[in-house]
Amino acid sequence: MPATAVLTARALLLDMDGTLVNSDAAVERVWRRWAERNGLDGDEVMKVVHGRQGYASMALLLPDRPMEENYADNARMLAEETADTEGVVEIPGARGFLASLRGVPHALVTSANVALSTARMAAAGLRMPEVRVTAESVGASKPDPEGFLKGAAELGVDPADCVVFEDSAAGIAAGRSAGMRVVGVGPRAGAHGPDVVVRDLTQVRVEVEAGVDGGVRLHIGE
């Protein structure tokens, strides 16, 4: 990407893990234990799980296992993840970034459920957006665009006027499929085709535009 870029939007849709919250340590602990229980290579498992709901990752990793088992296993995993917040911290700049969105239409769009997203945002000391699309809100996991489209609809904003913040391959693909522009956050993002990439949220400045329709200008890379 260029040294700096400017994107305009009327609403922002924010992933949580890897985008606002660094939960990598907890995710690694839980999923590597799962890999060991199921006789899978932990490194290969970690290549799949970021950005997806657990049952969707399990379906890719254990394609012959009935989905009913994946759903049940996912429920156990969510409880385990919710209880494990050791090392969960904010992505650098996340607190200030969220503070700059006061009055700006925005939503959390996460593959976590309500309990897990609440626990991780609290552990990182971050404000929870008023509009939230969680695992309970959708019928399909990222990379399906359902979550982002639902977030845009709840905010009353056309998908083309939304900018997504994401870190994972599945999430970036979901934003693209929703017809939205995507800001990739962190080291995983660059390989998966976002419109622009930032190291973390310290490289994003939000300028609220005056006028009847409002909107924001995102100064990227500053």
Side-chain angles (χ1 to χ4, degrees):
M1 77 171 203
T4 61
V6 177
L7 299 177
T8 59
R10 292 190 57 235
L12 307 182
L13 302 176
L14 315 174
D15 175 51
M16 182 182 71
D17 293 301
T19 301
L20 297 174
V21 172
N22 182 347
S23 57
D24 281 1
V27 172
E28 287 262 348
R29 285 193 294 271
V30 170
W31 278 98
R32 285 186 182 277
R33 286 196 296 268
W34 181 87
E36 186 174 357
R37 288 196 300 269
N38 288 278
L40 298 174
D41 180 85
D43 291 340
E44 294 304 313
V45 168
M46 295 313 302
K47 293 176 183 178
V48 172
V49 300
H50 291 291
R52 292 182 172 84
Q53 291 192 44
Y55 74 84
S57 296
M58 293 170 187
L60 290 173
L61 292 161
L62 297 172
D64 296 327
R65 190 164 80 161
M67 282 304 297
E68 291 77 8
E69 291 186 31
N70 293 335
Y71 289 129
D73 206 0
N74 184 47
R76 291 188 291 269
M77 291 281 285
L78 284 168
E80 192 176 345
E81 288 184 286
T82 301
D84 184 356
T85 57
E86 182 180 353
V88 174
V89 296
E90 69 165 319
I91 294 292
R95 190 175 288 107
F97 174 68
L98 287 170
S100 73
L101 299 184
R102 298 275 186 187
V104 175
H106 64 285
L108 188 74
V109 181
T110 175
S111 294
N113 64 2
V114 169
L116 180 56
S117 58
T118 300
R120 285 186 175 162
M121 291 288 280
L126 297 179
R127 174 184 65 82
M128 180 71 82
E130 291 184 12
V131 177
R132 300 180 288 277
V133 179
T134 61
E136 296 93 338
S137 309
V138 298
S141 170
K142 299 171 185 176
D144 191 283
E146 180 186 359
F148 287 125
L149 292 172
K150 183 162 283 191
E154 290 196 22
L155 294 171
V157 177
D158 188 274
D161 292 326
C162 295
V163 169
V164 166
F165 283 73
E166 264 285 1
D167 72 301
S168 69
I172 291 167
R176 286 282 197 198
S177 294
M180 301 172 183
R181 290 153 294 154
V182 181
V183 176
V185 180
R188 282 189 290 268
H192 305 298
D195 291 273
V196 294
V197 184
V198 295
R199 178 185 65 251
D200 56 43
L201 294 171
T202 65
Q203 293 189 300
V204 181
R205 180 169 63 87
V206 178
E207 178 188 359
V208 180
E209 295 188 308
V212 177
D213 293 332
V216 297
R217 291 168 64 86
L218 301 171
H219 298 265
I220 306 295
E222 296 187 355

